[in-house]
Amino acid sequence: MDRNENRQDPRLQVRIPVRCDSAEPGYRTLGLTQNVSRSGLLIEAPELLARGTTTRLRLLTGDRIAEAEAVVVWTLERSAGQMGMRLTRMSEADSIAWEQLLAFQGGPTPRASVRIALDLEITCVVGPDSAVTGRMENLSDGGLLVVLPRAIPPQTHVRVVGPAWISLPPIDAEVVWVLAGTARGGIMHGLRVLSDEKGEELFRIGTILRILIG
C-alpha cells in the first residue's frame, strides 16, 4: 500500500492515544494518531517498526480501550516518526467502539483529541492565598474537566496541581465554563490549558495513566 493511493475510507483528523506492541523483542511504544479511518490510522511515535511488521494496538476511543491487530504499510522518519497502519483484526465489541468514534468525528462537532477519562485528586490554586481541592474527571491536550466544591467564575486563571506521585509541574489554565447543580459531589468546571506545551505533557501523562489502569 502506498501513502498516495486512492482511499475508499475517509481520513478523520483526531489525536488518539495508542500503545503499540510488536513481537520484536522489547518493542513497546506510546504514540498519538494524526488521523484515523475505518481501515487504518496514521500514528506519530518515537520508535518506528519496519514496513510489513504486524503489531498489536491498544486504542483509547473514549471510555473504552479497544484492542486491534494491524500491519505497518509505510514509515516516515522525521523529528517525530510516523507509521501508516492498516487494521487487520478487531473484536466485535471493539469494532463497535471504533465505529462510534468514527461516526462522532465525522459528525458536526468533532474533537481535536479524544478525552481521557480519569479520576484524580487535584488542587486549583486561585491567587496567592486561595486553593480549592477537587477531582479531575477527564482531560485532553487542550483542557480538562474538574469537579470542585465551590464555583470559580469563568475567565479566572487558576493553577492546577496534581497528586505528588505524578511529578507533574503545575498547569496554568483558564476557567471556560461552570455547571452548577450537578450530582457528582460538586460543581463541574471546564478548563482550558494556557500553554500548549504543558497541555501536551498533561495529555501524555494522562494517556499513560489511563492505559496502565485500563
Side-chain angles (χ1 to χ4, degrees), residues 152-168:
I152 298 176
Q155 299 184 346
T156 301
H157 285 198
V158 300
R159 176 159 286 190
V160 181
V161 181
W165 57 272
I166 294 182
S167 300
L168 178 70

Side-chain angles (χ1 to χ4, degrees), residues 10-49:
R11 295 278 169 169
L12 303 172
Q13 302 291 325
V14 63
R15 293 165 61 81
I16 299 175
V18 182
R19 195 185 79 190
C20 181
D21 296 278
S22 171
E24 292 187 5
Y27 181 88
R28 171 175 288 180
T29 192
L30 183 68
L32 293 170
T33 65
Q34 290 191 346
N35 61 59
V36 301
S37 73
R38 180 175 286 104
S39 58
L41 58 166
L42 168 57
I43 297 176
E44 187 176 88
E47 299 179 59
L48 301 181
L49 288 166

Side-chain angles (χ1 to χ4, degrees), residues 107-194:
T109 57
R111 297 190 181 112
S113 59
V114 167
R115 294 175 181 172
I116 303 172
L118 289 173
D119 183 14
L120 290 176
E121 181 176 303
I122 54 91
T123 299
C124 282
V125 180
V126 188
D129 302 315
S130 178
V132 184
T133 299
R135 302 201 69 79
M136 180 192 304
E137 293 208 345
N138 67 51
L139 61 87
S140 70
D141 57 355
L144 54 156
L145 172 65
V146 299
V147 177
L148 303 172
R150 65 176 177 87
I152 298 176
Q155 299 184 346
T156 301
H157 285 198
V158 300
R159 176 159 286 190
V160 181
V161 181
W165 57 272
I166 294 182
S167 300
L168 178 70
I171 299 296
D172 292 320
E174 179 184 24
V175 179
V176 178
W177 56 262
V178 179
L179 182 59
T182 69
R184 304 184 184 216
I187 299 172
M188 290 194 296
H189 295 69
L191 307 183
R192 177 176 63 90
V193 177
L194 295 177

Side-chain angles (χ1 to χ4, degrees), residues 33-111:
T33 65
Q34 290 191 346
N35 61 59
V36 301
S37 73
R38 180 175 286 104
S39 58
L41 58 166
L42 168 57
I43 297 176
E44 187 176 88
E47 299 179 59
L48 301 181
L49 288 166
R51 181 175 177 175
T53 303
T54 298
T55 181
R56 296 179 299 278
L57 305 177
R58 286 170 62 85
L59 304 140
L60 183 55
T61 61
D63 293 335
R64 181 182 180 85
I65 296 177
E67 297 189 357
E69 290 185 5
V71 61
V72 179
V73 294
W74 61 264
T75 63
L76 178 62
E77 293 189 12
R78 48 174 49 176
S79 57
Q82 296 180 349
M83 292 187 287
M85 294 191 174
R86 183 178 71 247
L87 297 173
T88 57
R89 181 178 299 178
M90 191 178 285
S91 72
E92 182 177 357
D94 289 338
S95 293
I96 291 173
W98 188 245
E99 290 289 343
Q100 289 174 339
L101 172 69
L102 295 176
F104 181 87
Q105 287 301 126
T109 57
R111 297 190 181 112

